[in-house]
């Protein structure tokens, strides 16, 4: 009986220690992100962040009116943080400290030409995240999502975010009917960029 009690106590202690380690790893990661990524995380749910959903309007080089919606996701979701905290061994990360400034997400553009869907990735240039580096738009197959259309290519360095306003200057790539890219130095449309002023879409 005493042996069974000792085993039970050992199991309880082991579970308690495991939970304590999990809690320490989870909250260490969370508080590190509060410090290193103030543009993505805040303990105050009313604090405006770069993370979120944004919408803007623009005209492409063919003067087609389009609506764009961006969703910038938290660099580490709660689920991912929980999984990492639950690991017994820690995998060596290939990312450096500069990747604390990385963000990713999705973009959708709608117009009479159809729906364009992209993945996006970029970096903030400053610790507070208000100055942005280049933002790249891509598709799974590497081909423009809509044919015979000026699709998104990238936003140039110099974008800004403050409170509920986001500004990006976006360049385009033309996708032909066959799915290939086309550019002509003789046609000024191919060098045209659009400065887009986004507003936050609140849940």
């Amino acid at each position: 009986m005493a042996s069974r009690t000792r085993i039970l106590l050992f199991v309880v202690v082991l579970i308690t220690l495991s939970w304590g380690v999990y809690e320490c790893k989870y909250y260490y990661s969370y508080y590190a992100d509060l410090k290193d990524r103030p543009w993505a995380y805040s303990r105050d749910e009313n604090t405006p962040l770069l993370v979120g959903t944004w919408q803007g309007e623009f005209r492409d080089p063919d003067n087609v009116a389009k609506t764009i919606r961006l969703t910038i996701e938290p660099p580490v979701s709660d689920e991912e943080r929980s999984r990492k905290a639950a690991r017994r061994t820690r995998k060596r990360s290939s990312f450096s400290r500069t990747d604390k400034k990385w963000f990713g997400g999705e973009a959708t553009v709608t117009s009479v030409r159809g729906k364009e869907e992209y993945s996006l990735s970029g970096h903030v240039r400053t610790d507070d995240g208000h100055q942005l580096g280049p933002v790249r738009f891509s598709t799974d197959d590497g081909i423009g999502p809509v044919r015979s259309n000026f699709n998104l290519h990238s936003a140039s360095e110099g974008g800004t975010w403050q409170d509920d306003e986001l500004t990006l200057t976006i360049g385009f790539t033309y996708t032909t009917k066959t799915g290939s890219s086309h550019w002509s130095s003789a046609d000024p449309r191919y060098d045209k960029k659009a400065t887009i002023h986004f507003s936050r879409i609140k849940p």
Side-chain angles (χ1 to χ4, degrees):
M1 187 70 177
S3 177
R4 292 178 61 185
T5 301
R6 285 196 296 271
I7 292 173
L8 180 60
L9 287 174
F10 175 77
V11 171
V12 170
V13 170
L14 186 62
I15 292 173
T16 302
L17 287 174
S18 296
W19 179 253
V21 170
Y22 167 85
E23 288 280 290
C24 287
K25 291 169 67 177
Y26 181 93
Y27 284 104
Y28 176 82
S29 170
Y30 174 67
Y31 285 113
D33 276 340
L34 286 176
K35 175 180 177 294
D36 295 334
R37 293 166 166 154
W39 48 271
Y41 302 96
S42 174
R43 280 178 284 186
D44 182 356
E45 63 180 14
N46 294 318
T47 298
L49 302 172
L50 175 61
V51 166
T53 302
W54 303 85
Q55 184 166 302
E57 312 287 334
F58 69 97
R59 288 185 176 272
D60 76 2
D62 274 336
N63 203 36
V64 176
K66 296 184 175 182
T67 298
I68 179 171
R69 179 171 287 209
L70 305 180
T71 299
I72 299 176
E73 300 169 349
V76 181
S77 66
D78 287 340
E79 293 78 7
E80 184 179 1
R81 198 184 305 279
S82 294
R83 288 197 303 271
K84 289 182 177 180
R87 291 176 185 164
R88 291 189 177 183
T89 58
R90 184 177 180 180
K91 294 182 179 179
R92 180 175 295 179
S93 174
S94 61
F95 298 115
S96 65
R97 287 184 61 84
T98 58
D99 288 286
K100 289 289 186 179
K101 295 183 177 181
W102 176 89
F103 62 85
E106 299 176 343
T108 301
V109 177
T110 55
S111 71
V112 294
R113 295 281 174 86
K115 179 183 287 187
E116 308 166 31
E117 295 184 332
Y118 306 88
S119 296
L120 67 87
S121 63
H123 284 78
V124 297
R125 295 173 57 200
T126 54
D127 290 339
D128 60 14
H130 293 303
Q131 301 290 326
L132 307 183
V135 180
R136 303 193 181 281
F137 299 92
S138 61
T139 58
D140 291 339
D141 59 8
I143 299 175
V146 176
R147 307 293 175 91
S148 300
N149 181 60
F150 280 98
N151 295 297
L152 303 186
H153 180 267
S154 62
S156 55
E157 184 171 342
T160 59
W161 154 69
Q162 184 69 46
D163 296 330
D164 292 332
E165 296 181 355
L166 170 68
T167 300
L168 297 175
T169 298
I170 293 180
F172 304 88
T173 183
Y174 188 79
T175 304
T176 66
K177 291 181 180 180
T178 61
S180 61
S181 297
H182 176 71
W183 183 82
S184 172
S185 60
D187 190 334
R189 293 180 304 162
Y190 293 92
D191 290 322
K192 185 175 181 181
K193 295 184 177 182
T195 297
I196 307 174
H197 301 286
F198 294 85
S199 297
R200 186 185 303 278
I201 302 298
K202 297 183 179 180

